[in-house]
Amino acid sequence: MQIKAKPLTPEDFAPFGDVLDASGAPDKIINQGLCGRFHDRARLDFADGRAGISIFKAAPRALPCSCDLLERHPEGSQAFIPMSAEPFLVIVAPDEGGRPGAPRAFLTNGAQGINLLRGTWHGVLTPLAEPGLFAVIDRIGPGANLEEYPLAAPFSVLA
Ligand SMILES: NC(=O)N[C@@H](O)C(=O)O
Ligand code: NI
């Protein structure tokens, strides 16, 4: 199967999570008028644990790329904030009876981060260029908080 990556939009991504960016008017003007605050934009959720910030340095992939595994975090949300202005690939899928349904692929525009809702099926972090550096806000707590689903039929993602 092949799927085409679409530009990431808040509307399309809403069932899976939040798009984090500075588009539109800020919610607040702060710092003596020198800064716009886009306030409280992520639906964070950390069951039986706490929020943590980690730094990921991930190897970039090229499109088309193959996806043979989806995963989810039953106990917490997971946000990826790029530390460079490079687009990255986001793969998500709805849950269908405890398994991933039809996957969706999105390309960020280089000025977007994402927050995956707790329990959302997703592909692992997939940068498309160096440095592949991201700040990751996710749950720190007991247990693995990781459910992996190897795909019997891997799929390709096209640009
Ligand atoms: N396992 C891990 O920390 N990272 C994955 O959850 C991922 O979504 O990249
Ligand atoms: Ni994850």
Side-chain angles (χ1 to χ4, degrees), residues 46 50-57 78-83 125 132-141:
F46 308 112
R50 61 178 175 81
I53 299 179
S54 304
I55 302 296
F56 282 25
K57 179 140 179 39
Q78 186 173 50
F80 294 95
I81 311 294
M83 297 171 75
L125 178 60
L133 273 177
F134 292 75
V136 179
I137 299 93
D138 61 6
R139 174 191 175 268
I140 308 296

Side-chain angles (χ1 to χ4, degrees), residues 71 73 78 122:
E71 62 167 45
H73 309 296
Q78 186 173 50
H122 59 281

Side-chain angles (χ1 to χ4, degrees), residues 1-63:
M1 175 174 74
Q2 295 181 331
I3 63 173
K4 185 166 172 50
K6 294 177 56 179
L8 180 67
T9 66
E11 298 74 24
D12 286 347
F13 197 65
F16 307 105
D18 312 292
V19 175
L20 306 173
D21 66 5
S23 62
D27 298 298
K28 300 181 180 179
I29 300 297
I30 59 175
N31 299 355
Q32 298 170 304
L34 298 176
C35 177
R37 178 173 174 140
F38 298 78
H39 183 68
D40 193 19
R41 293 300 182 90
R43 293 168 280 175
L44 301 179
D45 186 348
F46 308 112
D48 186 27
R50 61 178 175 81
I53 299 179
S54 304
I55 302 296
F56 282 25
K57 179 140 179 39
R61 263 60 126 232
L63 293 181

Side-chain angles (χ1 to χ4, degrees), residues 12 14 27 33 35 59 67-68 72 75 82 84 86 89 93 103 105 118-119 124 130 154 156:
D12 286 347
D27 298 298
C35 177
C67 179
D68 61 5
R72 63 179 174 179
E75 302 302 321
S84 70
E86 302 297 336
L89 177 65
R118 175 179 174 181
V124 297
E130 290 293 355
S156 296

